[in-house]
Amino acid sequence: MGFITLLGASIALMNIMMVSVTERTREIGIRKALGATALQIRQQFLIEAIVICVMGGALGIVLGVAGGNAISLFIPGGGAFLVPWLWMMIGLVICVSVGLASGYYPASKAAGLDPIESLRYE
């Protein structure tokens, strides 16, 4: 169930990034006309996708820890909630890898745009 949710989220992120590339076509054209390389354009969109994923992962970690602490308050006998640091780090690594996988195609599409056609785009 978690894999299917992750797959759906990655498809949604790719769609968001494709819309971002379409909306920012003129900006990409201006950056390329001013000398930005394809690598710099690709890095910009990949970093944006990774930041979106890590923000979602961090929010999930905060909500998970808060929920675990809230549930441990209702356990009789003073149940302690252990913070799973290893699993939190693994979750963030997965978030980064999903951001890379989802953002690569839109970033490559943005990097491959022709500057003249991008500036002409309305």
Side-chain angles (χ1 to χ4, degrees):
M1 187 153 77
F3 177 75
I4 293 171
T5 304
L6 195 60
L7 182 66
S10 67
I11 291 170
L13 177 64
M14 187 180 295
N15 189 23
I16 289 169
M17 294 305 298
M18 290 297 291
V19 169
S20 177
V21 168
T22 303
E23 288 179 351
R24 294 161 62 185
T25 301
R26 287 187 60 86
E27 173 194 335
I28 295 166
I30 291 170
R31 287 192 65 210
K32 284 190 145 193
L34 291 175
T37 63
L39 177 66
Q40 291 171 333
I41 302 291
R42 188 177 298 116
Q43 283 177 347
Q44 173 187 349
F45 283 95
L46 280 176
I47 289 171
E48 186 176 326
I50 290 170
V51 166
I52 290 171
C53 278
V54 170
M55 284 173 46
L59 180 65
I61 287 172
V62 168
L63 291 176
V65 170
N69 282 325
I71 290 172
S72 71
L73 292 175
F74 295 110
I75 296 176
F81 176 72
L82 298 175
V83 178
W85 294 106
L86 176 66
W87 290 109
M88 290 180 358
M89 293 303 131
I90 290 172
L92 288 177
V93 168
I94 290 172
C95 287
V96 169
S97 62
V98 166
L100 279 172
S102 299
Y104 186 76
Y105 177 70
S108 294
K109 185 176 177 184
L113 290 175
D114 182 36
I116 296 171
E117 292 296 323
S118 300
L119 288 171
R120 199 178 299 170
Y121 183 77
E122 286 291 326

